[in-house]
Amino acid sequence: MNSTIIIYGSSTGTCEAIAEKIASKLDCEALNVQDLTADIIDAHQNLILGTSTWGAGELQDDWYDGLKTLQDADLSGKTVAIFGCGDCESYSDTFVGGMGELYNGIKDSGARFIGSVATDDYVFDDSEAVIDGKFIGLPLDDINEDDKTDTRIEEWLSVISPEL
C-alpha cells in the first residue's frame, strides 16, 4: 500500500472518531484538516478525506481553508477517497452534502477518485454527493443509523484497500 493519510474536519467529534477508526484499520495517520499543509499532501499518494455536513449541505467549517490547500496542491496521479457524516432524517434533502462540496472542489484536480457507494441501503431525499446514481464516497449517519456504521466502513475499506 502506498502512503495513505486520513484528513478530516469535525465539529462535534463524530467525524474525527470515524477518521481514527478508519486510520487504525489502514494503519495510517488521521490528521485534522486544520493541520493540513502542502508538504503533507506531497508526502502521501493516497488521501482519504472526511467531512461532516452542516447547514444546508455545507462543508464542516475547517474544510474551507483545507479545500483551498488541496486546490493549490498538485493532486495529479494521487488517489482520493471521500467519506462523510450526515443526518438522513433531519436533513434528508441535503444528506452528506459536505462530501459533494469536497468532491466538487477538487474533481478537476487530476486525482483518481475511488470508493463510490450505491444509494440502495440509504433513506434520504436528495444529496449533492450523489453523482451518476451513486454516492461519490462513503456516507455515514452515526446519529440515526449508528448500528450500520461499522459494517459500512468494513465493506467500503474492503473495496478501496486494494486500490490504495
Side-chain angles (χ1 to χ4, degrees), residues 85-163:
C85 301
D87 180 337
C88 68
E89 289 184 14
S90 299
Y91 299 96
S92 70
D93 58 335
T94 59
F95 181 54
V96 294
M99 263 190 351
E101 282 202 29
L102 200 50
Y103 171 77
N104 287 330
I106 59 171
K107 68 181 180 186
D108 298 323
S109 65
R112 177 176 70 104
F113 290 87
I114 62 171
S116 64
V117 172
T119 60
D120 302 351
D121 189 36
Y122 294 86
V123 178
F124 66 101
D125 291 325
D126 195 20
S127 178
E128 184 181 344
V130 174
I131 298 176
D132 296 329
K134 287 186 161 187
F135 287 105
I136 50 93
L138 174 65
L140 298 167
D141 182 344
D142 212 45
I143 297 165
N144 303 296
E145 300 180 336
D146 59 324
D147 58 317
K148 296 180 180 182
T149 297
D150 288 340
T151 301
R152 286 175 171 167
I153 290 170
E154 289 293 333
E155 289 173 357
W156 188 62
L157 290 177
S158 73
V159 171
I160 70 167
S161 291
E163 299 190 56

Side-chain angles (χ1 to χ4, degrees), residues 1 11 14 24 27 38 45 51 53 58 71 76 78 84 101 106 112 114-115 118 124 140 142 159:
M1 181 164 58
S11 296
T14 301
S24 72
D27 195 26
Q45 176 62 32
T51 184
T53 299
E58 296 150 14
Q71 291 168 332
S76 298
K78 294 199 182 280
E101 282 202 29
I106 59 171
R112 177 176 70 104
I114 62 171
F124 66 101
L140 298 167
D142 212 45
V159 171

Side-chain angles (χ1 to χ4, degrees), residues 40-104:
I40 291 169
I41 295 168
D42 289 344
H44 296 86
Q45 176 62 32
N46 304 314
L47 308 173
I48 300 177
L49 313 175
T51 184
S52 49
T53 299
W54 292 93
E58 296 150 14
L59 276 172
Q60 189 271 342
D61 288 343
D62 299 329
W63 262 112
Y64 289 101
D65 289 338
L67 184 55
K68 175 96 173 86
T69 302
L70 285 172
Q71 291 168 332
D72 291 343
D74 181 10
L75 300 182
S76 298
K78 294 199 182 280
T79 299
V80 174
I82 300 173
F83 69 94
C85 301
D87 180 337
C88 68
E89 289 184 14
S90 299
Y91 299 96
S92 70
D93 58 335
T94 59
F95 181 54
V96 294
M99 263 190 351
E101 282 202 29
L102 200 50
Y103 171 77
N104 287 330

